[in-house]
Amino acid sequence: MIDLIWLIPLLPLVGFLLNGIGRNVLPKPLVGLLGSGVVLASFLLSCGVFAEVYSARQAGESATFVQSVFEWINAGSLNVSLSFLVDPLSAIMLLIVTGIGFLIHVYSIGYMKHDAGFAKFFAFLNLFVFFMLLLVLGSNYVVMFIGWEGVGLCSYLLIGFWFKNKEFASAGKKAFVMNRIGDLSFLIAVFMIFNTFGTLEFAGVFPQAAGMAMGDTTLLLITLLLFIAATGKSAQIPLFTWLPDAMAGPTPVSALIHAATMVTAGIYMIARSNILFTLSPITLQVVAAIGICTALLAAAIAITQNDIKKVLAYSTVSQLGYMFLGLGVGAFTGAFFHVITHAFFKALLFLGAGSVIHAMSDEQDMRSMGGLKKHLPVTYVTMLVATIAIAGIPPLSGFFSKDEILAHAFAENKVLWVLGFIGALFTAFYMFRMLSLTFFGKFRGTAEQASHLHESPATMTVPLIILAVLSAIGGLLNVPSALGGGHALADFLSPVFADSTAVTGAFHLDHSTEYVLMAVSAVAAIVMAVLAYRQYAVKGVVPGADDAPRGLLARLSYHKFYVDELYDAIIVRPFNALSVFFYRIVDRAGIDGLVNGLGKRVGESSGGIRLLQTGNVGSYIFMMVIAVVVLLAYGFFNG
């Protein structure tokens, strides 16, 4: 199966081409079958590849395989090939991207069946999966960068899919522009990597980096640039505001971006480059600080949001912050473990939200929902599982992955643990607030909406059930030894993080401390869940209207701490004013004035000179005589 690695990204690309070219002629059932089928085929191949990698790890081998497709760039000392790297890290990412991607494709068949752009939508989904696979399979930073740019392009195409709505089109542009900031940083980092190591292949860069001194200035600059790139793709402060606006796209797009593809790219890139970051402790401190600040800020915003997709969007930003916190405290396995579990329950939450929106005739405001539990039983049960998981309540998956990150934070810096713990409390509260407002109490929508309430078709509910099972049992991948587990995921990924482990040493926390941390986290999450349920389900409290009076903190949270307004005031409007100045003064008055002025003067001069051409022979003879007289006079006086 290793020899067929190249087929894994190629199949979604073929799906993109076929659905794109035949979008006006292919029937919808064939489009859905083709678009989903190619991703399913990639998933099956990925399973085969993973099995070989797993077998190699069981045999005690490093399980690293490189397949070179062709030599791409050969100029002087720069040699870049289109080559694929499969190791434990990329093997797991293949399963996430293709497995969850397939479920989202199947779900989209039912969700988008009435959309006029059905075939175009599936073509873009296939292209998205292709570029993400290219990103995770690349054996060098150039191939990774191509995938990195590709998922940015696809996010623009899919977020602004309904581009006739100006607000949705603007959301797509916002995502594209904000990601370009991070992408430029990535590109500069790539130049520095080549200048420092003489190669862009991971196999050439990382062994050289492992021999460099801790705190090396060059590594510091490279890792800071890579982290800036990650803040763009993975929506961290200050480049996070595009992700909540990405809800403008169809709900399956939200699930794909938030769970299986784009936002995990930054985490994957740092995990892949772990030795560079381990040798740059200042960068790791920055990563941890930005991560926890983002986690808290986004969680504080999610508490007061009323759009069901916006709640989930800020939840994603917050959970990504936890992943960066994990990376920052050296918990590379823990951060990646949370990537896996988050992919399960966040895909489930978004697809469940899509099922709710589908039943509510496209209504997304939770203040107009309520009492949907009896109308959407499958959606309710599956979203309940996902909510328990993301809240960190045992024994579901989110408890294990989030607690591993918090345990490392506790060992590294107690302040980081306290802040992470507070963020976990926020998470449990706003998620059960969302669940209670949506599924409990009385229905608050219109009579017309009530008449259309129904469970979604099997193409939408079956993926929900599969994801619910994964969300429930996903934590078994890396049960800590304190609970009788064997750190299976950590052992599987150990070759990827071996250089970093050699520098920092193996992580250890005594079991009694782990028990206390787990108990405190679990009990606190349950308490916050009960409080939210009691407030919004039992008491039936409904959030006030948009213009209702709110306290200072509630107002700040409801208006997202005015971050967008701040960016608009200090960046957007000044740049717009600068653009107007350059257009009106520099371009029109300056450049156009000079060019058009010279042209006008030349035109006027030529207009005067052409009057000398009268067409009268007598005038020409007279002018010739005058010229002869002038020449004779000149010769006489200068002779």
Side-chain angles (χ1 to χ4, degrees):
M1 296 300 291
I2 293 295
D3 294 334
L4 299 177
I5 296 171
W6 58 276
L7 265 178
I8 296 175
L10 180 63
L11 288 170
L13 180 62
V14 171
F16 159 72
L17 293 173
L18 293 178
N19 275 331
I21 295 172
R23 64 186 182 278
N24 295 321
V25 294
L26 294 177
K28 286 185 177 181
L30 180 58
V31 168
L33 180 63
L34 178 61
S36 303
V38 291
V39 180
L40 175 60
S42 290
F43 172 67
L44 295 176
L45 287 171
S46 298
C47 290
V49 169
F50 178 83
E52 292 197 26
V53 173
Y54 183 78
S55 297
R57 287 294 299 123
Q58 291 295 100
E61 302 170 5
S62 63
T64 299
F65 307 94
V66 177
Q67 181 184 76
S68 180
V69 180
F70 60 83
E71 187 176 30
W72 184 19
I73 303 173
N74 189 351
S77 59
L78 176 62
N79 294 286
V80 178
S81 62
L82 179 63
S83 52
F84 299 138
L85 167 67
V86 171
D87 64 357
L89 185 66
S90 58
I92 293 176
M93 284 299 295
L94 287 179
L95 295 180
I96 294 173
V97 175
T98 58
I100 295 181
F102 167 67
L103 295 177
I104 293 171
H105 276 69
V106 173
Y107 179 94
S108 299
I109 294 174
Y111 191 86
M112 298 292 291
K113 66 179 180 180
H114 298 301
D115 196 281
F118 186 83
K120 183 173 69 171
F121 181 78
F122 269 86
F124 288 166
L125 284 185
N126 284 166
L127 187 64
F128 208 153
V129 172
F130 162 71
F131 277 121
M132 191 64 194
L133 290 172
L134 206 61
L135 189 154
V136 302
L137 279 173
S139 72
N140 56 67
Y141 282 104
V142 175
V143 177
M144 177 185 278
F145 183 72
I146 295 171
W148 188 276
E149 287 294 286
V151 294
L153 168 65
C154 292
S155 70
Y156 166 74
L157 295 173
L158 287 167
I159 293 170
F161 184 76
W162 290 319
F163 58 87
K164 292 182 180 180
N165 182 313
K166 289 186 178 181
E167 184 179 344
F168 294 174
S170 295
K173 289 187 289 185
K174 182 177 182 179
F176 190 77
V177 171
M178 293 195 79
N179 272 276
R180 295 291 72 71
I181 299 171
D183 295 352
L184 175 60
S185 181
F186 195 140
L187 191 59
I188 297 172
V190 170
F191 292 151
M192 289 192 65
I193 289 171
F194 179 73
N195 184 63
T196 303
F197 301 104
T199 180
L200 293 171
E201 290 288 335
F202 300 145
V205 172
F206 300 153
Q208 292 185 61
M212 298 177 73
M214 177 76 75
D216 183 86
T217 304
T218 303
L219 287 181
L220 173 63
L221 292 174
I222 290 173
T223 51
L224 284 174
L225 288 167
L226 289 176
F227 175 60
I228 292 171
T231 61
K233 277 290 180 287
S234 297
Q236 298 294 284
I237 293 174
L239 301 177
F240 72 96
T241 57
W242 69 269
L243 189 56
D245 288 356
M247 299 304 96
T251 299
V253 173
S254 303
L256 193 62
I257 290 176
H258 286 247
T261 56
M262 187 167 171
V263 297
T264 63
I267 312 295
Y268 172 80
M269 181 264 287
I270 293 179
R272 173 62 71 194
S273 310
N274 62 88
I275 184 59
L276 305 182
F277 285 82
T278 299
L279 294 173
S280 305
I282 294 177
T283 303
L284 286 182
Q285 292 173 11
V286 173
V287 171
I290 293 295
I292 194 59
C293 288
T294 305
L296 287 173
L297 178 65
I301 293 174
I303 285 177
T304 59
Q305 299 306 301
N306 297 316
D307 184 318
I308 188 170
K309 287 177 68 175
K310 281 290 177 73
V311 173
L312 296 178
Y314 280 105
S315 167
T316 297
V317 176
S318 182
Q319 295 304 304
L320 289 167
Y322 275 103
M323 297 173 204
F324 277 99
L325 171 62
L327 295 172
V329 297
F332 294 110
T333 299
F336 193 69
F337 185 23
H338 203 50
V339 167
I340 298 171
T341 61
H342 181 263
F344 297 153
F345 55 67
K346 188 50 62 69
L348 173 54
L349 285 167
F350 268 111
L351 296 184
S355 179
V356 170
I357 295 167
H358 181 264
M360 287 289 298
S361 304
D362 295 330
E363 177 63 67
Q364 297 183 195
D365 194 328
M366 295 184 296
R367 291 170 295 190
S368 299
M369 298 178 185
L372 298 183
K373 181 172 65 170
K374 62 183 178 182
H375 300 287
L376 289 79
V378 176
T379 302
Y380 163 68
V381 172
T382 54
M383 286 193 74
L384 174 62
V385 170
T387 301
I388 295 173
I390 193 175
I393 297 174
L396 274 64
S397 60
F399 166 75
F400 294 98
S401 57
K402 188 179 294 184
D403 264 44
E404 182 167 347
I405 292 172
L406 290 178
H408 278 78
F410 183 84
E412 181 72 19
N413 187 315
K414 303 299 187 293
V415 174
L416 290 176
W417 178 84
V418 171
L419 296 175
F421 175 72
I422 294 172
L425 298 184
F426 285 174
T427 302
F429 184 85
Y430 69 67
M431 287 306 304
F432 274 90
R433 171 183 179 269
M434 181 203 76
L435 192 77
S436 300
L437 286 172
T438 303
F439 293 102
F440 293 90
K442 296 180 179 179
F443 182 69
R444 300 179 294 274
T446 65
E448 182 181 357
Q449 289 172 333
S451 65
H452 289 101
L453 291 177
H454 61 281
E455 185 60 271
S456 299
T459 53
M460 296 171 66
T461 55
V462 170
L464 296 182
I465 295 170
I466 295 172
L467 289 168
V469 172
L470 294 174
S471 299
I473 67 174
L476 299 178
L477 290 173
N478 203 44
V479 177
S481 57
L483 296 178
H487 291 290
L489 181 65
D491 291 341
F492 183 68
L493 292 174
S494 58
V496 180
F497 306 127
D499 289 338
S500 294
T501 304
V503 174
T504 61
F507 171 78
H508 177 73
L509 198 65
D510 62 88
H511 288 181
S512 60
T513 303
E514 285 195 67
Y515 292 143
V516 172
L517 294 178
M518 290 178 189
V520 169
S521 177
V523 170
I526 293 171
V527 169
M528 297 305 289
V530 171
L531 288 176
Y533 175 79
R534 188 169 182 272
Q535 179 80 352
Y536 297 101
V538 177
K539 293 184 178 180
V541 174
V542 179
D546 293 342
D547 57 355
R550 291 178 172 85
L552 176 61
L553 292 178
R555 187 165 64 251
L556 287 172
S557 172
Y558 189 75
H559 293 286
K560 304 149 195 162
F561 290 91
Y562 298 96
V563 175
D564 277 315
E565 289 79 359
L566 176 64
Y567 286 177
D568 187 64
I570 67 175
I571 298 175
V572 177
R573 278 185 283 177
F575 270 93
N576 283 342
L578 191 62
S579 298
V580 171
F581 168 78
F582 275 104
Y583 172 65
R584 293 179 178 175
I585 307 301
V586 178
D587 189 13
R588 293 185 62 182
I591 298 174
D592 286 353
L594 176 63
V595 173
N596 294 338
L598 289 174
K600 186 177 181 180
R601 298 290 85 79
V602 170
E604 291 174 348
S605 301
S606 62
I609 294 173
R610 73 180 177 81
L611 295 177
L612 298 175
Q613 305 294 327
T614 64
N616 190 310
V617 176
S619 297
Y620 294 156
I621 293 173
F622 176 73
M623 291 173 63
M624 186 173 62
V625 170
I626 294 298
V628 170
V629 171
V630 170
L631 288 172
L632 290 174
Y634 177 79
F636 177 77
F637 289 109
N638 291 279

